[in-house]
Amino acid sequence: MIIMGIDPGFAITGYGILNYIGNHFEVIDYGVITTKPDIPHPDRLLILENNLVEIIDKYKPEAVSIEELFFNSNAKTAIKVGQGRGVALLCAARAAIPVYEYTPIQVKQGVTGYGRADKKQVQQMTKVLLGLSKIPKPDDAADALAVAICHAHSSTSMNKVLNNLK
């Protein structure tokens, strides 16, 4: 199953594309989409959309996993990041790709087995699980890969539960 993980934003959006077969991961691609702060916000969202559509068209993921937002202070930033997240959800919906949303705690749990793991632990386990020689950079790309890993582990667990019910 080809999974696209997304760490949403509007200045920087991380993406990771994994192929998950059995219990084996193959990294297909990862990176970030960036927009410059001197560009009007609507144009930044359009840049994000164009890049996401291009990535979806290129890799044809079977599932999109995206991190839910958690903010406790800056509402203005939260709204703008939420708009970027909305663009990502729209791109997946237009391509008729199922979307799966995970909280930061679920991502940490899915990657490290511990929902309160710190960022370094998640990055280290992402590297190990994907068989990479170094931690993916930038952090937003590593976070997107972690969201994709979380979905792979979650979907595998759900399939086991459903199979046991048959």
Side-chain angles (χ1 to χ4, degrees), residues 3-64:
I3 304 167
M4 179 178 190
I6 299 175
D7 180 35
F10 72 97
I12 303 173
T13 293
Y15 69 90
I17 310 292
L18 298 178
N19 192 8
Y20 185 65
I21 302 170
N23 287 326
H24 176 72
F25 290 102
E26 174 192 356
V27 178
I28 298 173
D29 191 15
Y30 63 89
V32 294
I33 301 164
T34 58
T35 63
K36 297 178 181 174
D38 59 338
I39 297 173
H41 188 67
D43 294 338
R44 293 172 83 176
L45 295 174
L46 184 59
I47 291 166
L48 177 60
E49 180 196 21
N50 290 337
N51 280 271
L52 286 171
V53 166
E54 183 178 308
I55 293 165
I56 288 169
D57 286 348
K58 181 175 182 179
Y59 297 112
K60 305 198 181 337
E62 299 162 65
V64 169

Side-chain angles (χ1 to χ4, degrees), residues 6 11 15 18 20 34 46 58 64 71 76-79 82 86 97 113 116 120 123 134 138-139 158 161:
I6 299 175
Y15 69 90
L18 298 178
Y20 185 65
T34 58
L46 184 59
K58 181 175 182 179
V64 169
F71 282 94
K76 187 176 180 182
T77 299
I79 290 168
I97 303 168
R116 301 284 182 208
K120 292 288 182 201
Q123 290 175 343
K134 58 186 177 182
D139 289 353
M158 184 55 73
V161 168

Side-chain angles (χ1 to χ4, degrees), residues 136-155:
K137 292 292 179 189
D139 289 353
D140 306 272
D143 292 348
L145 289 168
V147 176
I149 291 168
C150 174
H151 177 68
H153 288 161
S154 295
S155 66

